[in-house]
Amino acid sequence: MKSGGDSTTIDVEARSASKGKGPVLAVHHVKEEKGGMKRGMAIIDLVLRIGAIVAALAAAATMGTSDQNLPFFTQFFQFEASYDDMPSFQFFLIAMSLVAGYLVLSVPFSIVSIVRPHASGPRLLLLILDLVALTLATSAAGAATSIVYLAHNGNASSNWLAICNQFGDFCRNVSGAVVASFVTVVTFMFLILLSALALRKHH
């Protein structure tokens, strides 16, 4: 009977139509889940980036204000400890200032990653620039650490005297600056890891 044949045809078409809608809905659901996960990672990125800004600014500001003059002096000598007497500390101040400036400029790109979690361009740019900033911050922290160690302990073979017994405030300030710089370095490591994971999930 023709009506029977027609009903069979209609039934097959209805099944195929219902089967076609299922995968589409599933794909949209998966995309929404990935978008939510990436947006959450982007929010964490922004929070960490703000924390790194605070740490880098604290490191630069503490080093820049670490000068100390001893209360006693002679007619020809005034005993002073200053960061600009040591090239490693000068490099530290310049490097951490550059890192802090970069972090401030990177905040809008991090916000773009929150608004558009599926966009990989801003995340890739941040990953590359974060690697450069991490290298700069690590080199600055390492260079300053060696001088801080000598300031605390000295070096008898090179006649480098420990000065922290006399310039206690200076040593505390530069030591705090070095600690803040290493906090910045660790934060950069987490930022790079987040960016790498977000890019990996994008593909």
Side-chain angles (χ1 to χ4, degrees):
M1 184 176 181
K2 292 184 179 180
S3 60
D6 293 339
S7 64
T8 303
T9 303
I10 293 171
D11 185 43
V12 171
E13 289 178 354
R15 287 180 182 177
S16 62
S18 63
K19 288 181 180 179
K21 290 181 181 180
V24 172
L25 294 175
V27 169
H28 283 299
H29 183 64
V30 170
K31 285 185 177 180
E32 288 178 359
E33 286 184 353
K34 288 185 176 180
M37 183 181 299
K38 288 184 178 180
R39 183 172 285 108
M41 294 173 69
I43 293 173
I44 296 174
D45 178 277
L46 179 61
V47 173
L48 289 175
R49 207 164 288 275
I50 293 173
I53 291 173
V54 174
L57 286 175
T62 305
M63 181 63 72
T65 58
S66 61
D67 297 359
Q68 180 184 2
N69 293 318
L70 293 183
F72 57 88
F73 56 89
T74 66
Q75 183 178 359
F76 303 101
F77 296 101
Q78 183 176 5
F79 298 95
E80 178 186 10
S82 176
Y83 77 91
D84 54 7
D85 293 331
M86 304 174 188
S88 295
F89 286 164
Q90 292 179 9
F91 169 68
F92 179 91
L93 178 60
I94 295 171
M96 295 309 298
S97 298
L98 290 174
V99 169
Y102 156 70
L103 284 167
V104 172
L105 294 176
S106 70
V107 168
F109 294 94
S110 182
I111 295 174
V112 169
S113 298
I114 297 175
V115 177
R116 300 180 60 188
H118 293 290
S120 60
R123 181 71 67 184
L124 180 60
L125 178 63
L126 287 176
L127 176 60
I128 296 172
L129 295 179
D130 283 349
L131 284 170
V132 175
L134 172 62
T135 303
L136 183 61
T138 303
S139 60
T145 299
S146 61
I147 302 301
V148 169
Y149 175 83
L150 290 175
H152 280 279
N153 301 292
N155 190 323
S157 60
S158 61
N159 293 324
W160 186 297
L161 299 177
I163 65 172
C164 288
N165 292 332
Q166 292 77 28
F167 297 95
D169 292 339
F170 173 79
C171 286
R172 279 190 292 271
N173 286 337
V174 296
S175 298
V178 169
V179 171
S181 69
F182 277 109
V183 172
T184 306
V185 168
V186 173
T187 307
F188 266 123
M189 292 180 179
F190 282 109
L191 287 171
I192 292 170
L193 180 62
L194 276 176
S195 295
L197 288 175
L199 289 172
R200 183 176 179 274
K201 291 181 179 297
H202 187 271
H203 298 288

